[in-house]
Amino acid sequence: MLGLPKGEVFIVPWTSDWEKEYQLEKKKIEHIIGQYIVNVHHIGSTAIRDLSAKPIIDIAIEMKDFQDGEKCVKPLVEIGYSYKGTNVLPERHYFNKGEPRTHQIHMYQSGNRFLLDQLKFRDYLRDNETAKNQYAKLKHELSLVSNGNKHKYAEDKTEFVKSILERVNK
């Protein structure tokens, strides 16, 4: 299953189809804006084997120059993305695709601290079964009490994410 309707928060069991979907989308993105890209990363819970997740593929794009993100808007819109600007999160161009939402692009300049933290968190959970299981339990509990509020759901995960990043950054 892929896609999260507006106003809903739920998680589903991990599937290898998410990696396949990421690879297909990555090829499309590289084809249309590859000249601006340093690297493309599968991030978020769908990138972590056996971790239940909201059924949205999160893609981080590392850009040579943050300002080049503006040049990517029109080509990404042409393949179905909506541009949400840079004010959703700091130092990030944000795009989403579909209704229900199936993909999100988080576009950063190479070396951006928010991107680096996302990659560190992903990699830590990939390598640490205990932390991955703790995160899975937390996500499940929060999805049940968030009442469809994606901002509350995300905010309530913040302390766990910070605790992992503190370990990684020591």
Side-chain angles (χ1 to χ4, degrees):
M1 179 199 172
L2 192 60
L4 187 69
K6 193 173 231 125
E8 293 188 35
V9 175
F10 58 84
I11 57 174
V12 297
W14 183 87
T15 171
S16 61
D17 290 344
W18 290 341
E19 179 61 28
K20 293 173 193 164
E21 183 62 37
Y22 160 73
Q23 291 296 337
L24 288 170
E25 202 67 14
K26 177 183 175 184
K27 284 181 186 163
K28 290 179 198 173
I29 292 166
E30 288 175 331
H31 178 72
I32 61 165
I33 61 168
Q35 69 268 32
Y36 305 112
I37 295 174
V38 172
N39 208 339
V40 180
H41 307 276
H42 188 183
I43 59 170
S45 294
T46 61
I48 302 165
R49 178 177 286 283
D50 297 325
L51 180 61
S52 294
K54 293 181 297 181
I56 301 170
I57 306 299
D58 282 290
I59 300 168
I61 298 178
E62 264 184 89
M63 307 294 291
K64 298 171 189 169
D65 181 345
F66 185 72
Q67 300 308 319
D68 285 342
E70 298 290 334
K71 298 173 187 170
C72 300
V73 173
K74 187 174 185 244
L76 288 170
V77 165
E78 289 173 0
I79 63 166
Y81 283 90
S82 295
Y83 182 54
K84 303 301 180 182
T86 59
N87 58 350
V88 178
L89 282 180
E91 304 171 38
R92 175 189 76 154
H93 293 279
Y94 175 68
F95 301 79
N96 62 32
K97 184 177 190 178
E99 184 50 51
R101 194 169 16 125
T102 58
H103 299 78
Q104 301 181 127
I105 292 175
H106 312 266
M107 190 178 285
Y108 300 99
Q109 183 161 324
S110 189
N112 178 283
R113 63 190 166 112
F114 298 108
L115 170 64
L116 297 175
D117 282 348
Q118 286 179 333
L119 297 174
K120 289 175 189 176
F121 183 75
R122 178 202 65 192
D123 293 346
Y124 186 86
L125 292 185
R126 281 179 171 174
D127 295 338
N128 188 307
E129 196 73 22
T130 300
K132 179 173 72 174
N133 291 337
Q134 290 170 338
Y135 192 52
K137 182 176 184 237
L138 175 65
K139 286 166 38 107
H140 176 71
E141 291 168 0
L142 294 176
S143 72
L144 296 175
V145 299
S146 68
N147 294 323
N149 184 333
K150 68 180 180 180
H151 300 292
K152 179 171 175 30
Y153 172 80
E155 185 179 303
D156 289 347
K157 295 186 304 181
T158 301
E159 286 307 312
F160 182 87
V161 173
K162 282 182 180 177
S163 72
I164 296 298
L165 291 173
E166 285 172 6
R167 284 184 226 168
V168 172
N169 290 324
K170 281 187 177 178

